[in-house]
Amino acid sequence: QSVLTQPPSVSGAPGQRVTISCTGSSSNIGAGYDVHWYQQLPGTVPKLLIHGNSNRPSGVPDRFSASKSGTSASLAITGLQAEDEADYYCQSYDSSRNGFYVFGSGTHVSVL
Amino acid sequence: QVQFVQSGAEVRKPGASVKVSCKASGYSFSTYAIHWVRQAPGQSLEWMGWVNAANGFTKYSQKFQGRVTFSRDTSASTAYMEVSSLRSEDTAVYYCARDPNYYAFDVWGQGTMVTVSS
């Protein structure tokens, strides 16, 4: 079981807005550690999509945005496109003895 | 450009060991830690630990402590991960990745598929 909880799937029509939640606890997100997001297209390597809660690396479209509040974070995709169909993972740091870097359970985004 | 090239797919029997390499290029190897992350078929990502590329210090997730060994060769800009006492549940794609000092992974290797089967 992943330390960070995400919905298994979300879907939307092209052009719509979808959001993905990432729920943690007081030992990771709630402790103030940053949340990062990765996109994994089918059969490919994970790609850093958002770092430091809301920062997009160079080349990532501004359709992707993210925020963090309390023990949760969320990723939003506006103007959904077919090429956004992928798995998305959140990641943070955890101070408990379960591990140091932790990932979310992953969310598959389907474009209808 | 910055990239990691990992060694090829491996097949092992239960109880055996496997060693995966990760060669870095495009930056000063000793600057950043190299992390290892694995992904079982159809599953999420799982952090295994990291090796300090400069001094070889290692940190392991509790789950893998004692069964996984990280190392590096600075002269070859290469990091290594060895997993011993393999079991079927270790079947996964193993990735190396770089943390540029903000607790995230900005560059990933292409992944190495390790299959454990009798």
Side-chain angles (χ1 to χ4, degrees), chain A residues 36 38 40 91 97 101 104, chain B residues 39 44 62 99 103 105 108:
Chain A
H36 319 287
Y38 301 85
Q40 187 174 32
Q91 177 251 311
R97 59 189 177 94
Y101 291 66
Chain B
Q39 186 172 35
S44 178
Q62 276 198 323
D99 173 3
Y103 298 97
F105 309 116
W108 296 64

Side-chain angles (χ1 to χ4, degrees), chain A residues 2 34 36 38 40 44-48 51 89 91-93 97-106, chain B residues 35 37 39 43-47 50 59-63 95 99 102-106 108-111:
Chain A
S2 300
D34 285 344
H36 319 287
Y38 301 85
Q40 187 174 32
T44 69
V45 177
K47 169 191 169 185
L48 182 63
H51 67 87
Y89 298 93
Q91 177 251 311
S92 186
Y93 183 88
R97 59 189 177 94
N98 290 323
F100 298 93
Y101 291 66
V102 290
F103 285 95
S105 45
Chain B
H35 292 246
V37 175
Q39 186 172 35
Q43 302 299 308
S44 178
L45 301 163
E46 183 174 30
W47 179 77
W50 56 265
K59 198 82 165 179
Y60 301 96
S61 168
Q62 276 198 323
K63 177 175 180 176
Y95 296 102
D99 173 3
Y102 50 71
Y103 298 97
F105 309 116
D106 67 337
W108 296 64
Q110 85 276 19

Side-chain angles (χ1 to χ4, degrees), chain B residues 51-107:
Chain B
V51 57
N52 183 312
N55 60 22
F57 177 81
T58 55
K59 198 82 165 179
Y60 301 96
S61 168
Q62 276 198 323
K63 177 175 180 176
F64 299 102
Q65 185 84 42
R67 205 164 63 88
V68 173
T69 304
F70 303 140
S71 58
R72 95 280 183 243
D73 178 348
T74 55
S75 66
S77 298
T78 301
Y80 302 92
M81 177 202 65
E82 183 168 22
V83 184
S84 61
S85 302
L86 286 164
R87 33 209 190 224
S88 58
E89 309 89 90
D90 295 318
T91 294
V93 176
Y94 290 77
Y95 296 102
C96 59
R98 184 182 79 165
D99 173 3
N101 296 333
Y102 50 71
Y103 298 97
F105 309 116
D106 67 337
V107 180

